[in-house]
Amino acid sequence: YWDDSAKHFDAKWDYLFGEVIPEVQGAIARSLGIGNPRRIAFAPNTHELASRLLSCWPKGARVLTTDSEFYSFERQIRRASESDVGLAVLRVPTQPFETFEDRLIEEVRRFTPDLVFLSHVFFNSGFTTRDFGRIRDAVLTSNPKAQMAVDGYH
């Protein structure tokens, strides 16, 4: 950061938003098998990411998540399900880890969510979600208009 700021001085933001972020979006998109890198969004923390994301959904939207999401997302999704926002929320237990992805996909097919929100690495266990391609395919088969959000912080 220091070197880039010194090198690009007054043009550092153009460099960051014009070169660095698109490069990182591309790398993440390739890793996750996402065709359009511009669909990768960044936020400074889970709270802001969740606020932006949840504000996009109408009353009654269906959200599939896990029982191991970071506190800020869990608090927001709980309030959104209890308030007049009225999101329908289903949490899939991450344990037992050996069957997590299969169980998540089973619930995607049964629940047909509008949004699937899960972590790459769960903060409370260090368990890592591995097969995002298979999960993404199940989400899109279940509901072609559904969105999938991955908290990549931890």
Side-chain angles (χ1 to χ4, degrees), residues 13 20 29 53 59 68-69 79 84-85 111 113 141 143 154:
W13 297 115
V20 175
L53 189 59
K59 186 174 186 171
S68 297
E69 298 308 321
R79 293 298 86 72
D84 62 350
V85 175
F111 190 61
T141 299
N143 177 358
H154 295 94

Side-chain angles (χ1 to χ4, degrees), residues 36-113:
N36 183 355
R38 296 193 71 181
R39 296 195 68 188
I40 304 298
F42 296 97
N45 55 54
T46 305
H47 170 74
E48 184 175 326
L49 176 65
S51 294
R52 284 197 238 165
L53 189 59
L54 296 176
S55 71
C56 297
W57 297 103
K59 186 174 186 171
R62 300 165 66 85
V63 180
L64 181 70
T65 188
T66 76
D67 67 350
S68 297
E69 298 308 321
F70 193 62
Y71 301 120
S72 52
F73 179 79
E74 174 56 30
R75 283 191 296 265
Q76 285 179 306
I77 199 73
R78 187 172 305 281
R79 293 298 86 72
S81 68
E82 295 170 348
S83 71
D84 62 350
V85 175
L87 295 179
V89 178
L90 177 64
R91 289 170 188 80
V92 176
T94 55
Q95 292 191 25
F97 299 131
E98 300 78 30
T99 60
F100 167 68
E101 290 178 14
D102 291 334
R103 289 182 291 104
L104 180 78
I105 289 170
E106 181 179 315
E107 292 299 342
V108 163
R109 292 178 179 141
R110 187 185 68 74
F111 190 61
T112 61

